[in-house]
Amino acid sequence: MEIAFDYTRSLGPVLGQFMTALRERRILGARGADGRVHAPPFEYDPETFRPPGELVEVGQAGTVVSWSWLPEPLAGQPLDRPFAWALIRLDGADTAMLHAVDAGSAAAMRTGMRVTARWAADRVGSIRDIACFEPGEGPPERPPEAPSTTGAGSEPVTMTVTPVRLRYVHTASAAESAYLRGLADGRLIGQRCPACGKVYIPSRGTCPADGVPTDSEVELPDTGTVTTFSVVNVGYPGQQVTPPYVAAAVLLDGADIAFQHLILGCDPGEVRMGMRVRAVWRPRAERGTTAGGIGYFAPAGEPDAPYESYARFL
Ligand SMILES: [Zn+2]
């Protein structure tokens, strides 16, 4: 399973300048009312709570004031080999910034060591324009960097995009496993509670009302009734169906609980409570045991179900 989205936010006037400068291989700090230089810059002075005045450039080399070794980096972290997370006080600054140090081994790290920024080849106005820091003083003078004067590279940076990814492995229960294997076969497998007789699909293996195992399997038809629905009009990155489209609660015939699915194959304005629908299955080759076997539900062309037939499932 993977849950992923791009978190996008505006940077504001201070961090916008900070990110824009990084694109030009310059690191900015903010001088506070007490004379101390904070790098990265603060947005509000910790003493006076006012925005900073002019931002000042600090050095690209600095001193490690604290660090922690990371033996097994995760996907998306600054380096794909072991590295140190370090607090680095850049020359000319009075506060430290957090970044990665590519030192090779923990034995090469120590508090007080000198490090220098290593710049990314492609810079977009992000903290990751500093690829990492490396031990040593680096070149004594930074090669001059002419700010780009054309294209997007000349505009001030105003937004930042942070990709958020959560990937995890879900272990299916016996009941879920039967349901998922059924989908791959083009069958809908639910379970019936031996106490109340309700049919759940997908089943969690127990009846939430009676607390008893639901161990008898029931195969359900792939027809059902729309109980409630909403028309999705808002687009988002990665969307697989172009809006407007309908997401609905579909009550399969013989089931006692509705599940969510897409309603396609008709104008969104035609979808209504009580509408009869039928599953449109994915081609067999596309049905996995984890991906859904049903692509969407489409109008079945039958008279609407009377309200009383689904009212208790709303
Ligand atoms: Zn029950």
Side-chain angles (χ1 to χ4, degrees), residues 193 196 207 210:
C193 171
C196 67
C207 174
D210 297 297

Side-chain angles (χ1 to χ4, degrees), residues 69-142:
W69 190 251
L70 183 67
E72 294 178 13
L74 302 174
Q77 291 189 319
L79 295 166
D80 59 6
R81 51 189 178 275
F83 68 92
W85 285 117
L87 286 170
I88 300 158
R89 188 170 58 235
L90 295 170
D91 297 342
D94 297 287
T95 63
M97 69 184 283
L98 178 70
H99 219 296
V101 176
D102 187 14
S105 74
M109 287 297 302
R110 61 184 169 76
T111 299
M113 73 188 288
R114 297 285 294 166
V115 293
T116 303
R118 180 194 299 161
W119 294 95
D122 294 318
R123 294 180 306 282
V124 296
S126 150
I127 190 63
R128 302 191 74 158
D129 288 354
I130 302 175
C132 61
F133 283 77
E134 56 194 24
E137 292 293 336
E141 283 188 26
R142 169 171 57 92

Side-chain angles (χ1 to χ4, degrees), residues 15 38-39 61 63 72 74-75 84 93 101 107 124 155-156 159 162 188 198 201 217 222 237 245 292-295 303:
L15 293 179
H38 297 240
T63 303
E72 294 178 13
L74 302 174
V101 176
V124 296
E155 297 294 322
M159 302 292 288
T162 303
L188 290 163
K198 285 186 174 175
I201 183 165
E217 289 188 354
D222 64 358
Y245 61 89
I294 297 174

